[in-house]
Amino acid sequence: MEASAGLVAGSHNRNEFVVIHGHEGPKPLNTLSGHVCQICGEDVGLNTDGELFVACNECGFPVCRPCYEYERREGNQSCPQCNTRYKRQKGSPRVEGDDDEEDVDDIEHEFNVEAQQRNRQQITEAMLHGRMSYGRGPDDENSQIAHNPELPPQIPVLANGHSVVSGEIPTSYYADNQLLANPAMLKRVHPSSEPGSGRIIMDPNRDIGSYGFGNVSWKERGDGYKSKENKSGQLDMTEGRYQYNGGFAPNEPEDYIDPDMPMTDEARQPLSRKVPIPSSKINPYRMVIVIRLIVLGIFLRYRLLNPVKNAYGLWATSIVCEIWFALSWILDQFPKWLPISRETYLDRLSLRYEREGEPSMLAPVDLFVSTVDPLKEPPLVTANTVLSILSVDYPVDNVSCYVSDDGASMLTFESLSETSEFARKWVPFCKKFDIEPRAPEIYFSQKIDYLKDKFQPTFVKERRAMKREYEEFKVRINRLVAKASKVPKEGWTMQDGTPWPGNNTRDHPGMIQVFLGHSGGLDTEGNELPRLVYVSREKRPGFQHHKKAGAMNALVRVSAVLTNAPFMLNLDCDHYINNSKAIREGMCFMMDPQVGRKVCYVQFPQRFDGIDRNDRYANRNTVFFDINMKGLDGIQGPVYVGTGCMFRRQALYGYGPPKGPKRPKMVTCDCLPCCGPRKKSPKKNSSKKSAGIPAPAYNLDGIEEGVEGYDDERALLMSQLDFEKKFGQSSAFVQSTLMENGGVPQTANPAELLKEAIHVISCGYEDKTEWGKELGWIYGSVTEDILTGFKMHTRGWRSIYCMPKRAAFKGSAPINLSDRLNQVLRWALGSVEIFMSRHCPIWYGYGGGLKWLERFAYINTIVYPFTSLPLIAYCTLPAVSLLTGKFVIPQISTFASLFFIALFISIFATGILEMRWSGVSIEEWWRNEQFWVIGGVSAHFFAVIQGLLKVLAGIDTNFTVTAKASDDGEFGELYAFKWTTLLIPPTTLLVINLVGVVVGVADAINNGFQSWGPLLGKLFFAFWVIVHLYPFLKGLMGRQNRTPTIVVIWSILLASVFSLFWVRIDPFLSKVKGPDTKQCGINC
């Protein structure tokens, strides 16, 4: 990818491909007069006849003979320019696949007779010398062989002085006369079976380590490791790594060891570990859960056997609600049975994959940022997210940032262009002074001592200069925003006068712009910057684009074509990287040889800025992220929550996890029926399709990559037709899916890659494929995150929950009541859609790899909106009881009252012990309980109605929000009143319960002291509703001239009670007695 390539726009369906802004396409054919090789930069040279050497007779692409022969021997044997297969030139050896030649008299060079004789003689001498020197000490002649310049260079020299070649590596592998110090070349190939091929037959009685098998140019080990090797007689092959296209794969075999690995105790330790909850905290918690379950059963039994005869309707309603609440509690509680925490060791990650003086072997990562409307998602917020990505603490050549503009906005495009220019100054400043966080808006707005831990004398001066640069950058972005507020009639035009391709947001071609890449991606200090790519997928009328899920799948494909990193990290445009080592935190799990092989994604908790101190509407959602997610991590892993998640690319492609080693079969004598071998019952249908889940294309175990990045045997697992049906009709993308460890062929033409990238983001590319069904982000719900994670777990993958001490990512959350309720409405609507789809966890995925407690958690995530129906009914019962004088519970005895007391004690005990082991404060826990009621009686209720109308009747109902008033100042948005339909149900519940309290108290005053006893139970339930809806009432009333809302509430309540009490006493009116019925005989 070249940063200077310009904007590439096109449509594969319409056969359009346009380059804007002076795009540099394929380099023109150089004339042969240059005599310069376009691969190595050396002179092309002459052929055997003394004429200019021409490698390709089709296009004449200048390539020298060494590059030509290397390409024929080790590469794809074709011209980098026209992809035509190279023909054998005179003087070059024959390779496999060459045509028969009758008119060329070049037998000597064709079969390379002299080279084979020379190799055979050198290997014979090495074998003889190796046998003669075997067992000699360091003072013998053998100790000088390693430094003997007369030793044939084809024989690799080992650190222990032996000059031998493994029997599994043919001598032709060393034909380029180089020592194999690169572990990437130490791949196992099949030995040649031809006689005289130069193989060494190893003695089976000798230790394989004495031959140096697979380990050449060893570095010196520590004394402790040497002594350990001498004692054991063999290497301790416990952990290792193997190379893949610039990195090392996380799913390395445990029995393979890299000879260049620093074998220190620290480097050999695992990269992460589980931290179980202390038994003193978790055991009482589990005991209380069991006790609560027993008490709940006794309580429900008592309620069913003791109906209220004079209020049978109220009693039956309350019983149905309580049974639903009990089932909902079970689904929510038991997935938290095995909570765990995790720790990562970044220093061990560096010791293993970042050795001093060598290129970093950390795996590449593609980061995705999605945005739609720049007027609702400010470009400055997106720019801060991108800047935090570009300045992350990770090797720059392994980081690629893709920004998806699903609105095809020129404002987003120009803002990203400005961001790429500012990044040239911002990134080196961040890395020089190691600042946190690396989003400039957040960093410069921090109210902390920014000089803490800073000792460079130039820091203050450079910080001031950088702050001035950022303020100028903000002005430029604000100018673009102001310009975009008025759209010209003829549409937007670019700087060169070209019309903006995305003027029609619903009908435009796909667009790709590489802002930062291999060329032109340098900062002010001359260092390389990470890649930054702008992507806007094609949109046409009549096509289903699937909103965010479709945009994310487009990013998956375009990134696979351009960079193809084995791991991906997706972020919302308002979620910046708060911890510059966040990617390393995730790699401690993904690249761990013990843990990472079966991990599909690593989920980070969501943390937020700009929330009021009291967190009135539970925006932080601490109970979910610090309690529920830890519980799921102890089972099969947390659910995917939409952002802040690092994926394994192969898991998104629908592949299953690698299988562990099979247990050995038990050897029995077959003398008893119970000990005999089991007869395998014939399976009617071995496919998992009958269980609700399609079988993955193949598992990742037992697959090794070849020299060119993928193995032919792996490609043959499916026919080409099946691949196209699964992934789409793009050969470049299909080829990338076969590369488990990622990477792009080095011979790939950047212009061809961009053309293929335009193809994979075309609007019709997903037609008749499995995208959105089995691959990538799954379609069918506005909460595509739940479905995507659920599909991976059903295939047997597990996920990891990573909670670093410093929050990895931070974002913004709606602090206004109406905005918060609409956010919750969207989440609940997605759950209802999943409940009514074929992917419902209640009936989907049986027979796969989903664990039962994990299934409970997924069922809870899709049925919780339906709790709104019994919750609204239950919140209405106290008001009805107060207004009618009836109650849902009959008069109970002292013994029966113990059931109620035990139930309430177990409820509070569960909450207290959860807060104890999770570290959640009581205020956060209480805010979560309050908003559970607020959201349940408003957003969840409307989500159920809207979901039923959408699925059953096809009616799409939207609840709009209209701003009525707003206050300025800090957290002014918190007090802004925005009327929406969602406010009606909770407001109604508040009013009727307040009226019920007033009527109930008035009735008790009228009826005397004996009526206060039954009233207390009714008042308790009414106040339970009012207290839980109190934050909603505060948001409904706004600031009210900064008068505390609690004062207003209690003023109205006490004034009403006092007025009724005053009327009942009548202190200023005389008592008028009626007639005496005994005297007058009138029945009054």
Side-chain angles (χ1 to χ4, degrees), residues 1009-1043:
F1009 178 78
Q1010 67 278 2
S1011 60
W1012 284 94
L1015 179 66
L1016 293 179
K1018 303 174 186 177
L1019 290 177
F1020 173 80
F1021 285 106
F1023 277 113
W1024 181 89
V1025 176
I1026 295 173
V1027 169
H1028 278 78
L1029 294 178
Y1030 173 70
F1032 170 82
L1033 186 58
K1034 289 189 68 174
L1036 198 64
M1037 300 184 68
R1039 286 184 186 267
Q1040 294 297 329
N1041 295 326
R1042 301 186 184 275
T1043 303

Side-chain angles (χ1 to χ4, degrees), residues 3-8 18-24 410 413-414 417 493-498 500 513 515:
S4 59
L7 176 65
V8 179
V18 183
V19 180
I20 306 174
H21 260 186
H23 168 69
E24 298 179 1
M410 187 174 175
F413 178 83
E414 292 183 336
S417 177
T493 57
M494 305 183 70
Q495 294 181 358
D496 60 350
T498 307
W500 172 246
Q513 166 74 59
F515 285 108

